[in-house]
Amino acid sequence: SNDRLAGTGKERAQDGIFDLPAGDTESTERIEKLRREVAANPDGTGMNDLLARHLARAGQTSPGALLETVDACNGVLERRPDDVEALYSKASALSGLEDHGTALELINKAVKLSPDRAELVVLRAEILSSLDEHNRALDDAYKAVELDPGSARAYYVMGTIYDSHGASASPYMAIACYTRALERRPEFFEAMYYRTLQRYVVGQENKAVSDFRTIAAKAPDGSAWSAKARSYLRGITDRKTD
């Protein structure tokens, strides 16, 4: 389903185009300082530029945070219409806001400007799949893997497309893609979670339970993936005791 493509800004950034130190960009204090500086000097391109990048890296996915990212990117794009990073960040935020059509226009422009950047092609694959353009999305996912064979995100997105490809969905291909994503990023719990669901589909229950146990043990406490894995494991235990 399309919600599998709604990876957080933080996940995207790990394979993304931003080179700011992760610890600093995730700092609430740093973002608040930039907000104050932008408010005091709304015409300062540099501050809008930094705020857009910090918000994109911080993994803030609430509608308000996404709209703020769009506004910050607009501040950059008014002065530099071909700024690839701002185009990427704005497209990602708009996709999170379900404005996939506008997001596609922006990411198409970014890809045209920088056709060899795999992370741009990955995002376009996500957006195309959200628009039910699964064949085009799959073409982009394969292209992204060719551009960057080490991209965990590219394999993850490819897996989600095989996972949700309507009548031609392929659970085994989805499992293979999620596995390749995990080979590149072993603690990519989002990929592990959806691989687990597909393993249930094809009857690999023991492997699925093993995946759920790994997520429950290693995913950060309080994360969505840890909570979902623990819920499934409780359900399995309850069924066995009935």
Side-chain angles (χ1 to χ4, degrees):
S1 63
N2 291 343
D3 63 337
R4 302 183 188 190
L5 292 166
T8 66
K10 187 183 298 181
E11 285 286 0
R12 285 177 178 158
Q14 288 175 351
D15 281 330
I17 54 187
F18 307 105
D19 56 3
L20 297 168
D24 179 53
T25 58
E26 293 178 3
S27 165
T28 301
E29 293 79 8
R30 178 62 175 153
I31 289 173
E32 288 302 326
K33 181 180 178 182
L34 282 167
R35 284 172 175 153
R36 291 193 296 270
E37 291 173 351
V38 168
N41 183 21
D43 293 328
T45 304
M47 290 300 100
N48 271 300
D49 206 16
L50 282 172
L51 180 58
R53 284 156 175 71
H54 279 62
L55 288 167
R57 281 296 300 270
Q60 298 186 28
T61 56
S62 69
L66 293 173
L67 285 169
E68 186 177 14
T69 300
V70 171
D71 287 343
C73 290
N74 285 340
V76 177
L77 293 168
E78 285 172 4
R79 296 161 182 82
R80 297 199 305 275
D82 291 341
D83 187 295
V84 171
E85 286 82 359
L87 289 166
Y88 173 95
S89 295
K90 184 177 179 181
S92 179
L94 287 173
S95 182
L97 292 165
E98 304 296 325
D99 188 355
H100 303 301
T102 306
L104 182 60
E105 292 175 10
L106 292 167
I107 200 62
N108 277 338
K109 182 176 181 180
V111 171
K112 186 175 181 179
L113 290 166
S114 296
D116 294 331
R117 296 176 82 158
E119 60 274 17
L120 304 179
V121 181
V122 170
L123 179 56
R124 187 169 67 180
E126 295 184 66
I127 294 168
L128 285 167
S129 188
S130 294
L131 290 167
D132 294 326
E133 294 278 355
H134 297 299
N135 290 329
R136 291 175 62 197
L138 199 56
D139 287 343
D140 265 356
Y142 275 103
K143 180 180 177 182
V145 167
E146 290 176 5
L147 291 169
D148 182 6
S151 172
R153 186 78 194 172
Y155 277 110
Y156 167 77
V157 170
M158 190 184 297
T160 66
I161 297 166
Y162 277 118
D163 194 334
S164 59
H165 205 194
S168 58
S170 174
Y172 286 105
M173 286 297 293
I175 290 169
C177 292
Y178 293 140
T179 298
R180 291 192 177 185
L182 287 161
E183 289 169 354
R184 287 151 180 80
R185 193 193 307 163
E187 294 192 353
F188 195 165
F189 297 113
E190 189 175 358
M192 191 179 296
Y193 176 81
Y194 287 118
R195 182 180 71 174
T196 301
L197 298 185
Q198 290 302 297
R199 281 179 161 171
Y200 269 113
V201 170
V202 299
Q204 297 176 357
E205 183 171 347
N206 289 338
K207 289 182 177 180
V209 170
S210 177
D211 273 355
F212 276 139
R213 286 175 176 160
T214 298
I215 296 169
K218 294 186 176 182
D221 288 339
S223 71
W225 310 115
S226 175
K228 289 181 179 182
R230 292 175 190 277
S231 176
Y232 267 96
L233 288 171
R234 284 195 297 270
I236 292 167
T237 300
D238 290 345
R239 286 196 299 273
K240 287 182 177 179
T241 57
D242 285 345

